[in-house]
Amino acid sequence: MARTTPPRRVDIAAVFPELALLARQAVRLHPRLGVPAVRDSSVGGPLLWPADEPWPACEGPHPEVDLPVSLTDVRRRRELHRTGWAGGSPTEQERAALDATYVGHPWSQEPNALLPVAQLYARDIPGLPCPADSDLLQVLWCPLEHDPNWMPTARVVWRASAAAGALLVEPPLPADVSGHGDYLPEPCVLHPEVVTEYPAPLELEPDLAQRVGDWCEEQFTGTDPRYLYEEEFRAYYQYELSVAPGWKVGGWGPWSFSDPSVMRCTICRCVMRPLLTISSGALDGSGWDPVEDRDSAEDIGIVIGRSYDMQLYHCPASFGHPHLEVMQ
């Protein structure tokens, strides 16, 4: 099933022509629970990984604040939440089983195998940034928090899918996972959709941001039951007209709770561009939710910080330069 973002209530670039020059294409991924195969674009699915290529692992260090748990613990916990007491209050046995998934185990002394996060084929994602000899982007991460940003540390891999050869069938699994299990994505198929984005208000010139806020307050106050107060409608551009929420490739950064900063390559100092946005959840209840999913409440298993986004940036000068990560 395709996913269709409802049209914006207004063409904001027609009202403020300055915004037309700032428009960017973003590809919303719309991950939904499913059973992706190794040659599918996916979130949390199997990766097309050559059998003779070492599987990446994280050497740490990891902040040892709480004991880690296992993948089995997280999966058992989610299963209990889904089915354990759907018909009423949990039994003592069910409560005990749930509590056991939080106990944790001693930290492993071996490198922690990375987990697949996303696999994106250029054939499925219009405009996917890729080296000239590649058609596939793979993102993995260590499912533990890392200083100083308290997020997973990601690994970005580009490859030519036709050159993969014999494939790795059973990749190693991480021994240690964050106790809350927030970094284990459920397997999801994708429904890519191209949309147009404009910068968040914090990235606009102050005068333009002020005029856009004034106009939104005047036009939309009292027109949308999701917004209760007049001052909320000043943010209508932020949440309904500028940056699409959710998992996506490209577009603009969802700057809101933190001030924007210019993301520069640590090697060549080029201004970096958004590559992939990893979101806490698939839907957010805004006007951006696809028309096909208005009654859906799928949980794909990811929570970044306090339900924020993790955004990966890439260097436009060289795909060999390190990517950057930021929580927004």
Side-chain angles (χ1 to χ4, degrees):
M1 179 190 297
R3 291 310 193 272
T4 310
T5 298
R8 303 301 84 204
R9 291 181 62 176
V10 63
D11 180 358
I12 194 65
V15 180
F16 297 95
E18 307 99 306
L19 290 173
L21 299 176
L22 302 174
R24 285 184 184 174
Q25 173 180 290
V27 182
R28 304 190 71 191
L29 299 181
H30 299 308
R32 299 295 182 266
L33 300 179
V35 188
V38 71
R39 296 190 182 274
D40 294 332
S41 292
S42 65
V43 161
L47 301 187
L48 185 87
W49 199 270
D52 59 358
E53 182 176 326
W55 187 264
C58 179
E59 302 280 354
H62 307 112
E64 298 185 6
V65 178
D66 299 311
L67 289 177
V69 298
S70 68
L71 289 178
T72 300
D73 289 331
V74 176
R75 289 170 177 151
R76 174 61 175 153
R77 184 187 309 162
R78 292 178 180 177
E79 182 64 21
L80 285 168
H81 280 297
R82 280 193 294 265
T83 64
W85 47 88
S89 299
T91 65
E92 290 186 10
Q93 292 81 1
E94 288 169 338
R95 286 189 181 278
L98 183 63
D99 290 344
T101 68
Y102 287 96
V103 171
H105 60 246
W107 287 88
S108 171
Q109 301 305 306
E110 300 297 323
N112 206 39
L114 302 193
L115 269 180
V117 177
Q119 174 166 270
L120 306 176
Y121 284 88
R123 66 169 189 258
D124 299 325
I125 314 297
L128 178 71
C130 273
D133 59 350
S134 302
D135 67 336
L136 178 59
L137 169 64
Q138 297 172 321
V139 178
L140 309 89
W141 67 20
C142 175
L144 294 165
E145 292 172 339
H146 293 70
D147 282 336
N149 297 321
W150 292 92
M151 295 187 299
T153 294
R155 179 79 60 88
V156 174
V157 178
W158 282 277
R159 70 170 74 254
S161 60
L167 301 181
L168 181 65
V169 177
E170 295 186 10
L173 301 175
D176 296 336
V177 178
S178 174
H180 291 290
D182 292 338
Y183 309 132
L184 172 61
E186 292 289 319
C188 294
V189 296
L190 306 184
H191 304 85
E193 178 195 24
V194 177
V195 297
T196 299
E197 292 189 342
Y198 303 99
L202 290 174
E203 293 207 79
L204 298 177
E205 292 294 330
D207 174 69
L208 178 57
Q210 177 71 32
R211 287 187 288 118
V212 170
D214 291 345
W215 185 85
C216 286
E217 183 176 357
E218 176 184 338
Q219 294 292 316
F220 298 119
T221 296
T223 66
D224 193 323
R226 293 168 300 174
Y227 300 89
L228 301 178
Y229 305 104
E230 286 190 10
E231 57 268 24
E232 288 184 328
F233 286 91
R234 296 193 62 82
Y236 197 87
Y237 169 79
Q238 165 85 28
Y239 296 112
E240 301 288 348
L241 302 175
S242 60
V243 181
W247 292 67
K248 64 183 181 181
V249 170
W252 284 92
W255 299 101
S256 57
F257 73 88
S258 61
D259 290 336
S261 58
V262 178
M263 309 293 287
R264 292 194 178 275
C265 177
T266 57
I267 303 297
C268 69
R269 306 305 297 166
C270 276
V271 176
M272 304 182 81
R273 297 292 295 266
L275 174 62
L276 175 66
T277 299
I278 298 168
S279 184
S280 299
L283 304 168
D284 72 347
S286 75
W288 290 95
D289 284 350
V291 296
E292 297 86 357
D293 292 321
R294 288 309 169 90
D295 298 321
S296 175
E298 286 191 347
D299 180 4
I300 62 176
I302 298 296
V303 181
I304 304 295
R306 297 180 180 179
S307 295
Y308 298 137
D309 294 327
M310 176 177 176
Q311 199 167 41
L312 309 184
Y313 283 74
H314 75 99
C315 176
S318 173
F319 287 100
H321 291 175
H323 72 276
L324 292 181
E325 303 170 9
V326 63
M327 185 188 297
Q328 300 182 33

